[in-house]
Amino acid sequence: MARKAEVQILNAPSDVISSVKFAPKTNQFLLVASWDTSVRLYDVVNNTLRHKFFHTSPVLDCAFLDSVKTVSGGLDNTVKLYDLNTHIEHNLGTHDAAVKCVEYASMVNGILTGSWDRTVKLWDGREKECVGTYDQSAGKVYSMSCIEERLVVATSDRKVLIWDLRHMSNYVERRESSLKYQTRTVRCFPNKEGYVMSSIEGRVALEYFNPSPEWQKKKFAFKCHRSKQNEIEHIYPVNAISFHNVYHTFATGGSDGFVNIWDGFNKKRLCQFHMYDSSISSLCFSEDGSALAIACSYMDEAETPPEPYPEPTLYVRYVSEQETRPK
């Protein structure tokens, strides 16, 4: 029997879905963090909720360290390590404010957490301790992304700090965002050449690490996730970005309820999926690029909430080559 192109996952969280992450080397297991204080593990192939555990406050991000260990953080300021096999949880430590971002850094075999306390911390998951605290003097950490030795941190006052995980005594470079409005998310290119970032004002920018004028000429920004109704342009935040590791194209998700796939290097939109139930709050391609997890959650963007109030929903779309490969 042919597999459906898109599946709605059962037993979605009851409040805003903040983060979706596929397990390494598989498109079967999906980790989901939510404002309902839960972190859930889904078997998306069999459409079952395999496991869930809780924080004491809304969870803002989660990540896999390997196929069985996860890390998560949120408004309780706590970084929690959880073993899906043994069901043992361990509080690694805390920040002085909410933990907004969680990343596994394979190069240093460590856990990176970014917080509204204006720091990034590096944790040793085996020794279960913090091994470094790095001041992001530019503001609260809103989003971060690492690829091998590079760490890109986007902060509350539109600053971007670029770090080298091998030499964390100081950042390598501090940049101003090329987008005029608040940063929503940042993701590094899989080829390590730069990063993509988005803003609340329906724009996405491609930036390059190489400071030479020749490379800097390549950078550009574009408008997206906008619509016209009665000659009035409606502009929506771009909440989520995820890269396809094989083709290096990327998906964006906006508060307009749409997911677009882009070929950034050729400045083209490859496709747009159907309109979803509500705002796209998080996206994640599986490692092989065959599946895209799509989280939909109403994020209080409208002055008056829609009726009926949209419930959070979770989908896995099995994408085709036609949708994701550069033309």
Side-chain angles (χ1 to χ4, degrees), residues 57-84:
S57 298
V59 188
L60 301 182
D61 203 4
C62 59
F64 281 96
L65 306 193
D66 55 34
S67 56
V68 297
K69 289 192 188 68
T70 70
V71 64
S72 49
L75 291 181
D76 58 8
N77 306 359
T78 302
V79 182
K80 187 171 280 199
L81 197 61
Y82 194 88
D83 190 310
L84 296 164

PDB file of all heavy atoms in Angstrom, residues 57-84:
ATOM      1  N   SER A  57       7.358  23.938  34.008  1.00  0.00           N
ATOM      2  CA  SER A  57       6.870  25.113  33.272  1.00  0.00           C
ATOM      3  C   SER A  57       6.928  24.801  31.778  1.00  0.00           C
ATOM      4  O   SER A  57       7.488  23.779  31.383  1.00  0.00           O
ATOM      5  CB  SER A  57       7.760  26.329  33.562  1.00  0.00           C
ATOM      6  OG  SER A  57       7.719  26.669  34.915  1.00  0.00           O
ATOM      7  N   PRO A  58       6.395  25.687  30.929  1.00  0.00           N
ATOM      8  CA  PRO A  58       6.471  25.458  29.480  1.00  0.00           C
ATOM      9  C   PRO A  58       7.898  25.162  28.995  1.00  0.00           C
ATOM     10  O   PRO A  58       8.872  25.747  29.486  1.00  0.00           O
ATOM     11  CB  PRO A  58       5.961  26.782  28.904  1.00  0.00           C
ATOM     12  CG  PRO A  58       4.967  27.241  29.918  1.00  0.00           C
ATOM     13  CD  PRO A  58       5.571  26.878  31.241  1.00  0.00           C
ATOM     14  N   VAL A  59       7.986  24.229  28.043  1.00  0.00           N
ATOM     15  CA  VAL A  59       9.277  23.823  27.470  1.00  0.00           C
ATOM     16  C   VAL A  59       9.465  24.558  26.146  1.00  0.00           C
ATOM     17  O   VAL A  59       8.570  24.546  25.297  1.00  0.00           O
ATOM     18  CB  VAL A  59       9.331  22.290  27.256  1.00  0.00           C
ATOM     19  CG1 VAL A  59      10.735  21.862  26.864  1.00  0.00           C
ATOM     20  CG2 VAL A  59       8.888  21.548  28.519  1.00  0.00           C
ATOM     21  N   LEU A  60      10.621  25.210  25.970  1.00  0.00           N
ATOM     22  CA  LEU A  60      10.843  26.049  24.784  1.00  0.00           C
ATOM     23  C   LEU A  60      11.693  25.379  23.705  1.00  0.00           C
ATOM     24  O   LEU A  60      11.666  25.793  22.555  1.00  0.00           O
ATOM     25  CB  LEU A  60      11.487  27.377  25.203  1.00  0.00           C
ATOM     26  CG  LEU A  60      10.689  28.222  26.206  1.00  0.00           C
ATOM     27  CD1 LEU A  60      11.411  29.530  26.485  1.00  0.00           C
ATOM     28  CD2 LEU A  60       9.275  28.492  25.710  1.00  0.00           C
ATOM     29  N   ASP A  61      12.481  24.348  24.082  1.00  0.00           N
ATOM     30  CA  ASP A  61      13.296  23.678  23.063  1.00  0.00           C
ATOM     31  C   ASP A  61      13.723  22.314  23.576  1.00  0.00           C
ATOM     32  O   ASP A  61      13.731  22.049  24.794  1.00  0.00           O
ATOM     33  CB  ASP A  61      14.519  24.522  22.696  1.00  0.00           C
ATOM     34  CG  ASP A  61      15.074  24.196  21.303  1.00  0.00           C
ATOM     35  OD1 ASP A  61      14.458  23.370  20.582  1.00  0.00           O
ATOM     36  OD2 ASP A  61      16.113  24.765  20.929  1.00  0.00           O
ATOM     37  N   CYS A  62      14.111  21.450  22.625  1.00  0.00           N
ATOM     38  CA  CYS A  62      14.574  20.105  22.959  1.00  0.00           C
ATOM     39  C   CYS A  62      15.534  19.636  21.874  1.00  0.00           C
ATOM     40  O   CYS A  62      15.553  20.189  20.774  1.00  0.00           O
ATOM     41  CB  CYS A  62      13.388  19.146  23.082  1.00  0.00           C
ATOM     42  SG  CYS A  62      12.398  19.012  21.576  1.00  0.00           S
ATOM     43  N   ALA A  63      16.327  18.626  22.184  1.00  0.00           N
ATOM     44  CA  ALA A  63      17.275  18.083  21.206  1.00  0.00           C
ATOM     45  C   ALA A  63      17.637  16.655  21.597  1.00  0.00           C
ATOM     46  O   ALA A  63      17.527  16.268  22.767  1.00  0.00           O
ATOM     47  CB  ALA A  63      18.537  18.937  21.144  1.00  0.00           C
ATOM     48  N   PHE A  64      18.064  15.882  20.606  1.00  0.00           N
ATOM     49  CA  PHE A  64      18.628  14.557  20.856  1.00  0.00           C
ATOM     50  C   PHE A  64      20.145  14.694  21.029  1.00  0.00           C
ATOM     51  O   PHE A  64      20.794  15.417  20.273  1.00  0.00           O
ATOM     52  CB  PHE A  64      18.385  13.627  19.663  1.00  0.00           C
ATOM     53  CG  PHE A  64      17.012  13.047  19.600  1.00  0.00           C
ATOM     54  CD1 PHE A  64      16.032  13.635  18.820  1.00  0.00           C
ATOM     55  CD2 PHE A  64      16.700  11.892  20.308  1.00  0.00           C
ATOM     56  CE1 PHE A  64      14.749  13.090  18.745  1.00  0.00           C
ATOM     57  CE2 PHE A  64      15.424  11.340  20.242  1.00  0.00           C
ATOM     58  CZ  PHE A  64      14.449  11.936  19.463  1.00  0.00           C
ATOM     59  N   LEU A  65      20.710  13.959  22.007  1.00  0.00           N
ATOM     60  CA  LEU A  65      22.173  13.848  22.108  1.00  0.00           C
ATOM     61  C   LEU A  65      22.631  12.651  21.290  1.00  0.00           C
ATOM     62  O   LEU A  65      23.695  12.649  20.690  1.00  0.00           O
ATOM     63  CB  LEU A  65      22.617  13.640  23.561  1.00  0.00           C
ATOM     64  CG  LEU A  65      22.131  14.642  24.597  1.00  0.00           C
ATOM     65  CD1 LEU A  65      22.897  14.489  25.882  1.00  0.00           C
ATOM     66  CD2 LEU A  65      22.265  16.054  24.077  1.00  0.00           C
ATOM     67  N   ASP A  66      21.833  11.599  21.337  1.00  0.00           N
ATOM     68  CA  ASP A  66      22.034  10.402  20.512  1.00  0.00           C
ATOM     69  C   ASP A  66      20.652   9.784  20.364  1.00  0.00           C
ATOM     70  O   ASP A  66      19.648  10.442  20.650  1.00  0.00           O
ATOM     71  CB  ASP A  66      23.064   9.442  21.152  1.00  0.00           C
ATOM     72  CG  ASP A  66      22.698   9.065  22.584  1.00  0.00           C
ATOM     73  OD1 ASP A  66      21.485   8.945  22.885  1.00  0.00           O
ATOM     74  OD2 ASP A  66      23.605   8.888  23.411  1.00  0.00           O
ATOM     75  N   SER A  67      20.573   8.539  19.948  1.00  0.00           N
ATOM     76  CA  SER A  67      19.253   7.972  19.667  1.00  0.00           C
ATOM     77  C   SER A  67      18.407   7.742  20.924  1.00  0.00           C
ATOM     78  O   SER A  67      17.199   7.568  20.836  1.00  0.00           O
ATOM     79  CB  SER A  67      19.399   6.667  18.885  1.00  0.00           C
ATOM     80  OG  SER A  67      20.221   5.785  19.627  1.00  0.00           O
ATOM     81  N   VAL A  68      19.025   7.745  22.116  1.00  0.00           N
ATOM     82  CA  VAL A  68      18.233   7.476  23.333  1.00  0.00           C
ATOM     83  C   VAL A  68      18.273   8.588  24.378  1.00  0.00           C
ATOM     84  O   VAL A  68      17.469   8.589  25.304  1.00  0.00           O
ATOM     85  CB  VAL A  68      18.649   6.142  24.017  1.00  0.00           C
ATOM     86  CG1 VAL A  68      18.376   4.970  23.097  1.00  0.00           C
ATOM     87  CG2 VAL A  68      20.108   6.170  24.445  1.00  0.00           C
ATOM     88  N   LYS A  69      19.178   9.532  24.243  1.00  0.00           N
ATOM     89  CA  LYS A  69      19.257  10.597  25.256  1.00  0.00           C
ATOM     90  C   LYS A  69      18.782  11.920  24.672  1.00  0.00           C
ATOM     91  O   LYS A  69      19.121  12.276  23.546  1.00  0.00           O
ATOM     92  CB  LYS A  69      20.690  10.748  25.773  1.00  0.00           C
ATOM     93  CG  LYS A  69      21.135   9.585  26.647  1.00  0.00           C
ATOM     94  CD  LYS A  69      22.427   9.909  27.369  1.00  0.00           C
ATOM     95  CE  LYS A  69      22.977   8.694  28.089  1.00  0.00           C
ATOM     96  NZ  LYS A  69      23.443   7.652  27.162  1.00  0.00           N
ATOM     97  N   THR A  70      17.981  12.639  25.481  1.00  0.00           N
ATOM     98  CA  THR A  70      17.458  13.927  25.043  1.00  0.00           C
ATOM     99  C   THR A  70      17.793  14.993  26.074  1.00  0.00           C
ATOM    100  O   THR A  70      18.078  14.694  27.235  1.00  0.00           O
ATOM    101  CB  THR A  70      15.926  13.881  24.875  1.00  0.00           C
ATOM    102  OG1 THR A  70      15.316  13.784  26.177  1.00  0.00           O
ATOM    103  CG2 THR A  70      15.488  12.697  24.024  1.00  0.00           C
ATOM    104  N   VAL A  71      17.741  16.238  25.619  1.00  0.00           N
ATOM    105  CA  VAL A  71      17.932  17.370  26.532  1.00  0.00           C
ATOM    106  C   VAL A  71      16.855  18.399  26.202  1.00  0.00           C
ATOM    107  O   VAL A  71      16.446  18.546  25.052  1.00  0.00           O
ATOM    108  CB  VAL A  71      19.368  17.937  26.415  1.00  0.00           C
ATOM    109  CG1 VAL A  71      19.627  18.510  25.044  1.00  0.00           C
ATOM    110  CG2 VAL A  71      19.659  18.963  27.494  1.00  0.00           C
ATOM    111  N   SER A  72      16.374  19.083  27.238  1.00  0.00           N
ATOM    112  CA  SER A  72      15.308  20.064  27.027  1.00  0.00           C
ATOM    113  C   SER A  72      15.432  21.194  28.037  1.00  0.00           C
ATOM    114  O   SER A  72      16.082  21.052  29.075  1.00  0.00           O
ATOM    115  CB  SER A  72      13.937  19.379  27.140  1.00  0.00           C
ATOM    116  OG  SER A  72      13.864  18.579  28.310  1.00  0.00           O
ATOM    117  N   GLY A  73      14.807  22.329  27.696  1.00  0.00           N
ATOM    118  CA  GLY A  73      14.858  23.483  28.592  1.00  0.00           C
ATOM    119  C   GLY A  73      13.687  24.399  28.332  1.00  0.00           C
ATOM    120  O   GLY A  73      13.057  24.336  27.265  1.00  0.00           O
ATOM    121  N   GLY A  74      13.370  25.257  29.317  1.00  0.00           N
ATOM    122  CA  GLY A  74      12.239  26.149  29.124  1.00  0.00           C
ATOM    123  C   GLY A  74      12.116  27.193  30.203  1.00  0.00           C
ATOM    124  O   GLY A  74      13.120  27.667  30.757  1.00  0.00           O
ATOM    125  N   LEU A  75      10.870  27.540  30.539  1.00  0.00           N
ATOM    126  CA  LEU A  75      10.604  28.658  31.444  1.00  0.00           C
ATOM    127  C   LEU A  75      10.909  28.348  32.906  1.00  0.00           C
ATOM    128  O   LEU A  75      10.881  29.248  33.742  1.00  0.00           O
ATOM    129  CB  LEU A  75       9.145  29.118  31.305  1.00  0.00           C
ATOM    130  CG  LEU A  75       8.773  29.803  29.980  1.00  0.00           C
ATOM    131  CD1 LEU A  75       7.314  30.214  29.989  1.00  0.00           C
ATOM    132  CD2 LEU A  75       9.643  31.007  29.693  1.00  0.00           C
ATOM    133  N   ASP A  76      11.213  27.069  33.224  1.00  0.00           N
ATOM    134  CA  ASP A  76      11.633  26.776  34.600  1.00  0.00           C
ATOM    135  C   ASP A  76      13.144  26.973  34.791  1.00  0.00           C
ATOM    136  O   ASP A  76      13.687  26.645  35.851  1.00  0.00           O
ATOM    137  CB  ASP A  76      11.223  25.358  35.016  1.00  0.00           C
ATOM    138  CG  ASP A  76      11.793  24.275  34.102  1.00  0.00           C
ATOM    139  OD1 ASP A  76      12.631  24.602  33.230  1.00  0.00           O
ATOM    140  OD2 ASP A  76      11.415  23.098  34.252  1.00  0.00           O
ATOM    141  N   ASN A  77      13.810  27.504  33.739  1.00  0.00           N
ATOM    142  CA  ASN A  77      15.256  27.826  33.752  1.00  0.00           C
ATOM    143  C   ASN A  77      16.148  26.584  33.841  1.00  0.00           C
ATOM    144  O   ASN A  77      17.372  26.705  33.968  1.00  0.00           O
ATOM    145  CB  ASN A  77      15.637  28.761  34.933  1.00  0.00           C
ATOM    146  CG  ASN A  77      14.824  30.022  34.998  1.00  0.00           C
ATOM    147  OD1 ASN A  77      13.957  30.249  34.155  1.00  0.00           O
ATOM    148  ND2 ASN A  77      15.075  30.854  35.993  1.00  0.00           N
ATOM    149  N   THR A  78      15.555  25.407  33.803  1.00  0.00           N
ATOM    150  CA  THR A  78      16.294  24.160  34.059  1.00  0.00           C
ATOM    151  C   THR A  78      16.642  23.446  32.759  1.00  0.00           C
ATOM    152  O   THR A  78      15.829  23.396  31.834  1.00  0.00           O
ATOM    153  CB  THR A  78      15.438  23.223  34.942  1.00  0.00           C
ATOM    154  OG1 THR A  78      15.133  23.908  36.158  1.00  0.00           O
ATOM    155  CG2 THR A  78      16.166  21.933  35.279  1.00  0.00           C
ATOM    156  N   VAL A  79      17.840  22.862  32.727  1.00  0.00           N
ATOM    157  CA  VAL A  79      18.272  22.030  31.602  1.00  0.00           C
ATOM    158  C   VAL A  79      18.146  20.577  32.058  1.00  0.00           C
ATOM    159  O   VAL A  79      18.788  20.151  33.020  1.00  0.00           O
ATOM    160  CB  VAL A  79      19.728  22.342  31.210  1.00  0.00           C
ATOM    161  CG1 VAL A  79      20.141  21.497  30.007  1.00  0.00           C
ATOM    162  CG2 VAL A  79      19.894  23.827  30.902  1.00  0.00           C
ATOM    163  N   LYS A  80      17.275  19.837  31.360  1.00  0.00           N
ATOM    164  CA  LYS A  80      16.947  18.471  31.799  1.00  0.00           C
ATOM    165  C   LYS A  80      17.468  17.452  30.797  1.00  0.00           C
ATOM    166  O   LYS A  80      17.207  17.561  29.593  1.00  0.00           O
ATOM    167  CB  LYS A  80      15.433  18.343  31.956  1.00  0.00           C
ATOM    168  CG  LYS A  80      14.981  17.032  32.575  1.00  0.00           C
ATOM    169  CD  LYS A  80      13.489  17.043  32.901  1.00  0.00           C
ATOM    170  CE  LYS A  80      13.207  17.766  34.192  1.00  0.00           C
ATOM    171  NZ  LYS A  80      11.892  17.426  34.771  1.00  0.00           N
ATOM    172  N   LEU A  81      18.189  16.467  31.311  1.00  0.00           N
ATOM    173  CA  LEU A  81      18.692  15.350  30.509  1.00  0.00           C
ATOM    174  C   LEU A  81      17.762  14.172  30.764  1.00  0.00           C
ATOM    175  O   LEU A  81      17.398  13.917  31.913  1.00  0.00           O
ATOM    176  CB  LEU A  81      20.111  15.019  30.980  1.00  0.00           C
ATOM    177  CG  LEU A  81      21.027  14.185  30.104  1.00  0.00           C
ATOM    178  CD1 LEU A  81      21.285  14.880  28.766  1.00  0.00           C
ATOM    179  CD2 LEU A  81      22.348  13.957  30.826  1.00  0.00           C
ATOM    180  N   TYR A  82      17.351  13.481  29.688  1.00  0.00           N
ATOM    181  CA  TYR A  82      16.421  12.369  29.879  1.00  0.00           C
ATOM    182  C   TYR A  82      16.865  11.179  29.042  1.00  0.00           C
ATOM    183  O   TYR A  82      17.197  11.333  27.865  1.00  0.00           O
ATOM    184  CB  TYR A  82      15.005  12.792  29.472  1.00  0.00           C
ATOM    185  CG  TYR A  82      13.947  11.835  29.942  1.00  0.00           C
ATOM    186  CD1 TYR A  82      13.361  11.973  31.196  1.00  0.00           C
ATOM    187  CD2 TYR A  82      13.543  10.760  29.145  1.00  0.00           C
ATOM    188  CE1 TYR A  82      12.391  11.086  31.643  1.00  0.00           C
ATOM    189  CE2 TYR A  82      12.577   9.868  29.587  1.00  0.00           C
ATOM    190  CZ  TYR A  82      12.006  10.036  30.834  1.00  0.00           C
ATOM    191  OH  TYR A  82      11.064   9.141  31.275  1.00  0.00           O
ATOM    192  N   ASP A  83      16.877   9.993  29.669  1.00  0.00           N
ATOM    193  CA  ASP A  83      17.234   8.760  28.973  1.00  0.00           C
ATOM    194  C   ASP A  83      15.949   8.020  28.613  1.00  0.00           C
ATOM    195  O   ASP A  83      15.202   7.591  29.498  1.00  0.00           O
ATOM    196  CB  ASP A  83      18.127   7.897  29.868  1.00  0.00           C
ATOM    197  CG  ASP A  83      18.718   6.716  29.114  1.00  0.00           C
ATOM    198  OD1 ASP A  83      17.946   5.992  28.453  1.00  0.00           O
ATOM    199  OD2 ASP A  83      19.948   6.511  29.189  1.00  0.00           O
ATOM    200  N   LEU A  84      15.678   7.895  27.319  1.00  0.00           N
ATOM    201  CA  LEU A  84      14.425   7.289  26.862  1.00  0.00           C
ATOM    202  C   LEU A  84      14.377   5.786  27.120  1.00  0.00           C
ATOM    203  O   LEU A  84      13.300   5.192  27.172  1.00  0.00           O
ATOM    204  CB  LEU A  84      14.233   7.555  25.363  1.00  0.00           C
ATOM    205  CG  LEU A  84      14.070   9.029  24.983  1.00  0.00           C
ATOM    206  CD1 LEU A  84      14.290   9.220  23.489  1.00  0.00           C
ATOM    207  CD2 LEU A  84      12.709   9.565  25.397  1.00  0.00           C
TER     208      LEU A  84
END
